[in-house]
Every structure is written in structure tokens, then in C-alpha cells.
Amino acid sequence: MRRFLSVAAVYVTIMLVASVLASPRPPTVDAGPLPDGSDGIVLAAALERFDDCDALLRYFREAALERVGPYGLGEPIHAYLEDSTEAVGDAGVLRSAAPAAGGDASADTGARDQDFSGTNVQEAGVDEPDIVKTDGRRIVVLSGSRLYVLVNDGDRLRRTGSVRLPGEGAQELLLDGDRVLALGHRFDDVMPHMDDVRASMPIMGAPTSTFTMVDISDASDPSITSTMEMDGSYVSARLVDGVARVVVRSQPAALPFVTPDSGGLRNEREAERRNREVVRDSTIDQWLPFAITTDTASGSETERSLLECESVHHPETFAGFGLVSVLSIDLTDELVADGSAAVVAESDTVYASTENLYVALNRWGSQSWDVGRPVRPEAARTELHQFDITDPARATYVASGTVKGRLLNQWALSEHDGHLRVATTQDGLGRAGRSDSAVVVLARRGGSLDPVGRVGGLGKGEQIYSVRYAGDLAYVVTFRQVDPLYTLDLSDPRSPEVRGELKIEGYSAYLHPIDDATLLGVGQDATLRGETTGSQVSLFDVGDLSRPRRVDQVKLGQGMSSVEYDHRAFLHWPATGTVVVPLETWEHRPFVGAVVLSVDGDGLQRVGRISHEGDGKGRGPGVHPYGSQIQRALVIDGELFTVSAAGVMAHSLRSLEPRGWVPLDRPGN
């Protein structure tokens, strides 16, 4: 089992271990010079806009003619097998395995001015897609290829209707009024063989995204009003004032490249000659993502390129053939994506405030070789692109910047008072290299995101495992064997500083502010050697930034919680101090369900446990335990609801007594 935890830590990214000592003084850190392009900062120029489609087509053709070969803009299959981190057009950059962390403290799970909870989001006023949404009466659940609508009438919960989503379904959804936007993507099963002379590009298959608008005004008969299918892979979305900003990354997939029909230099040269002709004869529509919108009522289809050429921007130096597009979709209207903007780049991270959306990419350092020996290793860096989303009709590209080091995930970014704060880890290069982490403060100057402040030296020899911003403050956890929790004061953007440090055994993979002086963490208990021993919930007093301390701890047994890698699984309901944490344990008597705690003052109390391995009365419905994993929890009108793939259960918020069980159809039915 210890081996299992180790694997989970690598792939689910949950390790943030610490020691029990609280440091009485702030640690010594390196503020670093600014902004000379070193010590974690890289100055970047603004991207350039294409004036028209001729300029955009010329850019792609010229770049492609320099790089096209017998396998198009791809590589032979063996190249991918030998080095999966390298791919043409930067499409093969692997995502970092990163644990979930926390965002701005103002974005609480339970809003204080409403009687129901929403998705646990990073920023107040910026909704995030999830598998469950509610408006306080209806609960919308995405399970498999179906979307279910349940209604809470106060005295009972009932499932009123469902609808099968097109294709392979969706991964996430957004809700606004009577409209649901379901979001998802799929990959075509394309794997070219050496005798396939019409292989698609890229080699590993062309992803497509499908967005579905569903009308739930009649809860008993939810209906699909329109769908959009487009080239590219759905990354994420944010919803502000009824307008969804949807981020999609794409590669040109309509170019009819060939591959050699057999081995030998002659065949490779012929394939390359034909591929160069493909590039020279290409049209702009073959380089831009293609979209098909279908009106369900009429059955009419609209086909078009998704982007206007003038809305695309590119850097001075070649950055691949990929595009990151930010679509604007008004949930009160049908599925249209006018006013989209794009950059020639890649993206694996999305963060948004109410005014700006940022897309970011971890650009992993490359390693060059000479006679089998490494020379000149390059450090990883994070590329950032800012889009203005204040206009509900369109997203507008405004600025770009680059920071040295790896970005953890969306929670390492935070916009506050006109500044963007970025937390990254720089890995040590060479045999004597040591990793180092920092928080850099950026400000927009024209079309550039320029550094104005920096604090470094965090967790030397370690890496960032969680971040939580709370206004002018930040909490950063780094990990190797012991886990320092740093408290940072960012009130002066030009001179951010570390105020305190706490070392404890175990780690918090997710941090959640309870109030201005109290921080809750969900993670793993561990030994001083960094060996995990079981799930835990910790409560920290951060009222004195110079002396953070852990005031309580609840050990949950050998297992793990999905909160450690997905913040949306966490629920905090401030009105009653209720905290719900999904949990799986495997020692003695295995448990699959959720643990309910209460946070009050400076302590944590166990309230009870909830399991869906029953029908609400402790009797099993005959489903496999792992089909009944509790994925989400929410509060409506003083009742607690827990959601799994098996169904939705209602409970008394205070006693946890089951008050109803609504099964969902098995996925695919």
C-alpha cells in the first residue's frame, strides 16, 4: 500500500510533507535583482497582430516550408516513442503533474448571501466548470454521456429528466439561468502506419471539441438547442456575468500530408516533395480551426473558420503552428463564438479574474547533447498571455510575459489591484544544481507583462506543491522531505516579502482560508523521512504572519482524498462551519465515501461519515464501491447533498441522517 501511495503522489501530485517545528523568525530569502532578465524573470515583448489573412497565411507557409519533411510537420512514430516530451508545433509538451492548491480567500464554497453552495472556485464572481451545478432548486449532474436534472422541492429530492449528450458526452458543464453549456473533447483514433500515405497531422490523432447548449426551463424535459463541434482540444472555461470564455488549443488538422509508402531514401524524398506542395498550395482555412454549429430545432448547419485573421497574434520568434483560442459564448443565446481571439502558442493552464483571462504554458527546458554528453541545459519557463474579457461580446488579446520556472497550476496565478502574481519553481540544473521557488509580481506595460517585484529563495532544493492567495497575502508550500508553509506579504508589489515559516510532519495539498486568521489544509500525514502515513486535515493559525502554527489535526486513516488534486471536491459551508472531504481508505475496513467535519474557533471536530454504498438506509444497491465514490457535496436550504456516479443522496446538515436517495442511470444508458 505504501508503494501505491508513492505512485499516486507522482501522478496525482499530492505530496507536500513537513516537520513539526514552527520557526520563530522569518526565513532568510533572496529578493533578487529586478528586472535584469535573471533570477527567475525573462522580459518578453508584446505579440504582433496579423493585419489580414494574406499575412497570416504567409507566416504559416514560410514557417512550414522551413520545417516540413517526409512525415509532414510531424515525425516518424519512433521519434515520439523515444522522446515523448518533444513534438512539432509544441503540441507534445507534457503537462506537469501538479497537486491542487487554493485561490483567493474571497471565493468561498458557500456564499454568505445565498442559501445554497456553488462550485468551490478560485475567484469570487468567476464561475468554473464542474460536473455538478445548482441554482438552489435544480441540481444538474453530468454522468457518463447523460445530463441529469434533479429538483429539490424542500420535502424531497427527485430526478425529473435527463438528456443524452451528442458524441461521447462531455467532461464539464456551466449553468446560468435555464441554460447549461456542456463542454468536452475527444481524440480521433488516428495512428498512421508506414504504408498510410494520407495520414493526418499531428501523428497521434486530431482532437475535436464539442460544446452543447441545453435548455432546462422544463426540468422534466431538458432539451438540446444547439451544438458546436470544432477542431482542437478543450482546455477550460470561465463564466462571468452570463458569458462563458472557453479556451481551446488546436493544431492545423486539414493539411493532406503524406508519409512514405515504404522504406528507403527515394520514398522519403518523394513524400517530402509532395508535402512541400501541400504547404505551397494551402489556404488559410486549412490552418485555422474549423467549426460546425448545428441548430437542433431546424437541423440547419453552419460551417466556418472559427477565427478572423485579424484576431490572431504571434510572437517575434517562431512558436509553432498551434493556436490558443479564447471563445466568447453568451449562455442566454444560441451557440455562437463571434468575437474570438487567438495567439500562436500553446496552453495548459487557465486563470481568470472578472476582468482578465490568462492562458499559460509550462515550456519545459530542453537538453542538448554532444557525443552522448549533455551540454548547455535550458531551464523551464512559463509563458503568459493576457486577454481582456470586460466586453461581453469578445475577448481581446492585450499582453504577454515570460517568467523562469515551472507553473504549478491555475492556483499559482492571482490578479490583485492591477498586478499578476506568479509562483514558480526553477529546477536545479547540473549535478550541483538545487531547485528554487519564487513569487514574481507582474504589471502590464503596453503589450508586455513586466516584473515589478520578486521574492525568491523559497524551499531551496524543494518545489512548490500548493499556493493560496488571499488579497495582499499568499501562502506557499514547498516540499521534499519536510514541508515549509511560507506566509508572504504582497501588499507592496515592488517589495514582496516572506513573513514566516512553519515546518510540520505531513503536507497540505489543498489550502482553504476559513477566515482572516485561520487556514485549513487537506493532505497527507507523513514521517520525517517523507513517507506518507494517511490522509489528514489540518487547521492553521495565520493571524500572526511571523509565527504560523498548526492548532489542530484530524487523521483520517491510510488513504487519500480527491480534494488533494481537485479543489472542486471540497465543501466549506461557513454558516454552520461544515467541511466535507471525499475520502477513500484501504486499511482494516476499506471505506469509500466522505468525512464531515466542523471547524469552530481554533478546533476541528468529527461530525460523521457518509457512504453511497447503500440506498440511504445502509443497504447496498449492488454497485461496485468505486462506482459510488462521492465526487461532490453541496448545501441547499439547510440540507446536505452528496453526489456520486451512482446517485444523489440528501442528508440532514447537522445530524447527517439520510433523507432521500435518487439513483442515476448507469453511465452509457
Side-chain angles (χ1 to χ4, degrees):
M1 196 59 62
R2 186 166 295 169
R3 179 183 178 186
F4 178 85
L5 270 177
S6 175
V7 174
V10 173
Y11 289 98
V12 188
T13 70
I14 58 174
M15 300 194 68
L16 302 171
V17 176
S19 84
V20 280
L21 298 178
S23 174
R25 294 179 307 226
T28 301
V29 295
D30 170 27
L34 285 170
D36 64 357
S38 61
D39 297 304
I41 299 163
V42 178
L43 299 181
L47 303 190
E48 300 175 4
R49 183 177 67 86
F50 290 102
D51 293 330
D52 52 36
C53 288
D54 288 340
L56 180 54
L57 179 59
R58 186 166 54 251
Y59 171 89
F60 280 131
R61 280 180 176 174
E62 291 176 355
L65 285 173
E66 294 178 5
R67 296 163 176 83
V68 70
Y71 298 89
L73 296 175
E75 298 286 345
I77 295 176
H78 64 77
Y80 285 82
L81 299 178
E82 290 173 359
D83 187 357
S84 61
T85 65
E86 295 289 335
V88 172
D90 307 312
V93 176
L94 299 181
R95 298 190 184 189
S96 60
D104 195 305
S106 61
D108 211 328
T109 302
R112 299 176 187 274
D113 59 350
Q114 61 187 26
D115 57 0
F116 64 93
S117 64
T119 299
N120 182 29
V121 299
Q122 184 172 4
E123 297 284 1
V126 184
D127 197 15
E128 300 181 23
D130 201 359
I131 58 173
V132 178
K133 291 290 182 180
T134 184
D135 60 5
R137 178 174 176 269
R138 295 169 297 191
I139 301 175
V140 183
V141 181
L142 188 62
S143 181
S145 61
R146 299 196 73 88
L147 184 148
Y148 299 91
V149 180
L150 294 82
V151 172
N152 178 38
D153 291 327
D155 56 344
R156 72 186 184 99
L157 177 70
R158 55 193 176 91
R159 193 185 78 193
T160 56
S162 70
V163 62
R164 180 184 290 276
L165 299 175
E168 299 175 8
Q171 283 81 48
E172 300 176 324
L173 57 85
L174 290 166
L175 169 66
D176 185 69
D178 290 330
R179 292 297 184 97
V180 174
L181 177 61
L183 306 146
H185 66 262
R186 65 179 175 84
F187 285 85
D188 293 333
D189 295 327
V190 177
M191 173 61 76
H193 299 283
M194 299 305 292
D195 58 352
D196 183 359
V197 296
R198 303 291 292 177
S200 298
M201 172 270 190
I203 271 182
M204 298 306 290
T208 58
S209 295
T210 301
F211 309 137
T212 307
M213 194 76 78
V214 182
D215 185 342
I216 61 168
S217 55
D218 182 352
S220 63
D221 186 24
S223 59
I224 295 174
T225 63
S226 57
T227 62
M228 175 186 290
E229 188 170 13
M230 61 168 290
D231 294 326
S233 178
Y234 163 70
V235 179
S236 191
R238 297 295 184 270
L239 181 68
V240 179
D241 294 332
V243 178
R245 313 293 179 161
V246 182
V247 180
V248 177
R249 59 187 179 191
S250 61
Q251 292 282 331
L255 297 166
F257 288 130
V258 303
T259 58
D261 54 9
S262 62
L265 181 61
R266 185 191 305 275
N267 288 306
E268 286 197 355
R269 287 174 62 87
E270 174 61 19
E272 181 173 342
R273 183 192 65 78
R274 294 173 62 184
N275 286 337
R276 295 182 70 83
E277 290 179 358
V278 168
V279 173
R280 292 191 188 97
D281 296 339
S282 63
T283 64
I284 190 61
D285 289 341
Q286 291 176 300
W287 294 97
L288 296 177
F290 177 73
I292 303 173
T293 303
T294 303
D295 181 274
T296 305
S298 64
S300 62
E301 290 186 349
T302 302
E303 300 181 356
R304 65 187 181 101
S305 293
L306 189 69
L307 298 168
E308 300 293 334
C309 297
E310 296 80 7
S311 70
V312 181
H313 294 72
H314 69 98
E316 287 186 18
T317 58
F318 178 72
F321 300 99
L323 291 172
V324 176
S325 304
V326 180
L327 320 181
S328 298
I329 300 176
D330 188 341
L331 266 67
T332 65
D333 203 349
E334 295 309 311
L335 260 176
V336 293
D338 295 330
S340 302
V343 295
V344 179
E346 273 290 319
S347 173
D348 54 13
T349 302
V350 175
Y351 161 78
S353 67
T354 55
E355 298 181 346
N356 294 291
L357 180 142
Y358 299 85
V359 297
L361 173 69
N362 281 334
R363 197 67 87 164
W364 297 99
S366 63
Q367 183 81 61
S368 54
W369 294 79
D370 180 20
V371 196
R373 293 182 296 179
V375 295
R376 235 189 124 67
E378 299 177 13
R381 66 189 188 276
T382 297
E383 297 176 356
L384 301 156
H385 304 289
Q386 178 184 3
F387 294 82
D388 185 331
I389 57 172
T390 55
D391 184 344
R394 66 179 55 251
T396 304
Y397 165 80
V398 291
S400 294
T402 303
V403 176
K404 287 184 179 179
R406 295 182 288 106
L407 192 73
L408 176 68
N409 50 27
Q410 68 179 71
W411 304 90
L413 301 171
S414 169
E415 184 182 88
H416 183 68
D417 287 344
H419 293 89
L420 177 67
R421 292 86 64 89
V422 186
T424 63
T425 294
Q426 297 182 62
D427 294 308
L429 298 176
R431 181 171 298 178
R434 300 186 68 197
S435 60
D436 188 4
S437 297
V439 174
V440 179
V441 183
L442 306 174
R444 180 186 167 197
R445 291 172 177 162
S448 297
L449 296 172
D450 291 345
V452 297
R454 175 183 182 273
V455 57
L458 305 178
K460 291 185 177 181
E462 303 171 346
Q463 61 177 318
I464 291 177
Y465 264 67
S466 67
V467 182
R468 185 88 197 201
Y469 294 99
D472 288 330
L473 305 178
Y475 308 101
V476 178
V477 172
T478 62
F479 167 75
R480 187 176 62 181
Q481 282 186 308
V482 292
D483 173 15
L485 166 65
Y486 294 101
T487 57
L488 281 70
D489 184 349
L490 309 179
S491 57
D492 183 353
R494 297 184 177 276
S495 185
E497 60 176 330
V498 173
R499 294 286 301 277
E501 176 186 3
L502 169 68
K503 294 183 178 180
I504 57 172
E505 296 176 13
Y507 63 80
S508 294
Y510 173 70
L511 298 171
H512 190 89
I514 300 299
D515 54 42
D516 292 341
T518 312
L519 188 67
L520 183 145
V522 180
Q524 291 280 321
D525 197 8
T527 67
L528 285 173
R529 298 177 58 185
E531 297 175 343
T532 56
T533 60
S535 295
Q536 68 170 358
V537 178
S538 300
L539 196 65
F540 302 97
D541 181 348
V542 291
D544 182 351
L545 292 179
S546 65
R547 297 179 61 90
R549 59 193 183 96
R550 182 161 66 180
V551 295
D552 205 354
Q553 174 189 29
V554 174
K555 298 183 179 183
L556 303 176
Q558 191 176 43
M560 66 179 298
S561 170
S562 56
V563 174
E564 297 175 42
Y565 56 88
D566 188 348
H567 62 279
R568 298 169 301 181
F570 179 83
L571 171 67
H572 171 228
W573 185 244
T576 59
T578 301
V579 169
V580 180
V581 177
L583 179 68
E584 297 175 39
T585 62
W586 42 73
E587 62 179 354
H588 306 309
R589 298 179 61 185
F591 171 76
V592 178
V595 61
V596 182
L597 306 172
S598 176
V599 55
D600 183 17
D602 58 357
L604 290 166
Q605 293 80 40
R606 296 176 185 261
V607 177
R609 301 201 302 181
I610 295 172
S611 174
H612 280 202
E613 293 183 72
D615 59 1
K617 300 179 181 179
R619 296 189 293 269
V623 299
H624 189 278
Y626 291 97
S628 58
Q629 294 171 337
I630 292 179
Q631 300 166 314
R632 300 292 185 266
L634 54 152
V635 173
I636 303 175
D637 291 335
E639 284 195 318
L640 175 65
F641 297 85
T642 52
V643 182
S644 70
V648 181
M649 187 181 291
H651 319 259
S652 164
L653 182 58
R654 297 193 178 276
S655 69
L656 304 186
E657 178 185 356
R659 292 187 174 177
W661 165 255
V662 176
L664 299 178
D665 289 341
R666 299 293 182 266
N669 293 339

